[in-house]
Amino acid sequence: MFRYGWKQFGGDVSGGVLAALIALPYGLAIARLMDLPPVLGLFTSILTAPFTGLLGRNPMLIGGASSVTVPFLAAAVRSQGIGGAAKVTIVAAVVMLVFSVLRLGRYAARVPNAVMAGFSCGIGGMMVISQLRTIFGLTFAVNPDTPMLLLLLRNLEAIGETQGTTALTGAAVVVVSAALGRFHPRLPAPLAGIVAGTGIAYLAGWHVGEIGSIPSGVPSFAGFSWTPADVWKVLPSGFALGFVASVNLLVTSRIVDHFRGRNAQKLMDADRELGAYGIANLAAGMFGAPMSVGIPARSLAAIRCGGSTPMANLLHAGLLAAAVVWLGPVLAHIPLAALAGVTAWMGFSLMSWGTWARLPKMRRVDAAGFLVTAAAVLAWNAVVAILLGSAVYVLRSVVRRNLPSGIQRWSFARGFQPNQAASTGLPKGSP
């Protein structure tokens, strides 16, 4: 029988504090990337932690706003405001609950690792490109539906209009975050980067755009209404978001279990995890807060600090709530360029550099799935990217079944061996 003592409590406190320090700048940045009020990125963790910590199967899987949900929710906000994000999140939460009830969680994580790695890489590129305009202080008008590749060209064309103060603020954040993440990975690099960028801007007397007022109370319910048009506007995005979030959640859960030394999972574990996050995201959706999925960085950081029970998750949420209540006036003065720098650094971290280095040694189908998915995220959108990446494997299966045996043997010899393990690695998700 497990006994909870001072040793476990001390580890949970240390883990919860570090997880909150990591979540603070990240939640603000992700919400702003979705065009939502930055404070909602923190309320995602505050609202959902009690459900995921107490109902979830993995006690050290700490959730929050994640980069994998950005393309879906950003599009919903552009289309229908906060109410649109609320509707898409609620539909996605229902999808997760359906997966849990039908016991489909054990199959959802079978999406090829190369597709998920390509999806993570594409989102990383999107995070970098989308923040260049803010980092460099560019003022050209932006169409919210502009593909990322065209937006990159627009930034390059206007690079001569760079404002030095904002660029230096953003660059300081990127450099400090990257250096600390490289040499001291256990410390909250994003928070240190924001502190450095904000301090430099303040000491130099630079006039840069700031986050602005942050409300300290509980956010109000998101106002929205369902219309017949939502069948085509909301349901497809909600289903795709629910599917992608489920896959990401279950893959992250496996990673966290590995670091906990628990490598054997029961089939029902995945279904229970999806159910807990489905219930949690219903609560988040009612307030228009971003959807919550498991975050590897804060989960593993909490484990390294000695966290071992759901108490670490609850403490991390409690500390974020305290920061909103007591540190709101301080957070309001964070420069927008500093948040953009943190977002860009996190984007670089998600771009699967190890997978790029292994491309020549990977199976051709895995390399194709990775590249197609990553390119489609930047050229079109997240839904198309997942479909096209998965279609590569479907096409391979169809070709294998219909090719004459002699051609199959030749193609296998060229690198299509069916039993060769894919060397893509698991997507690491959000920092």
Side-chain angles (χ1 to χ4, degrees), residues 197-214:
T198 303
I200 290 173
Y202 176 77
L203 294 175
W206 294 338
H207 297 286
V208 294
E210 299 177 342
I211 291 178
S213 176
I214 293 181

Side-chain angles (χ1 to χ4, degrees), residues 389-413:
S390 300
V392 170
Y393 289 85
V394 175
L395 179 62
R396 170 179 176 267
S397 178
V398 171
V399 170
R400 285 179 56 194
R401 291 180 180 179
N402 292 280
L403 280 178
S405 57
I407 298 180
Q408 284 193 37
R409 287 194 296 271
W410 174 83
S411 60
F412 290 162

Side-chain angles (χ1 to χ4, degrees), residues 59 72 81 119 149-150 158 180 195 211 256-257 262 273 277 287 294 365-366 381 385 390 396 428 431:
F72 306 95
F119 185 71
L149 294 179
L150 293 180
L180 197 62
V195 170
I211 291 178
V256 173
D257 265 342
R262 186 179 184 274
E273 205 73 75
Y277 273 82
F287 292 92
V365 65
D366 293 320
N381 56 58
S390 300
R396 170 179 176 267
K428 295 184 179 179

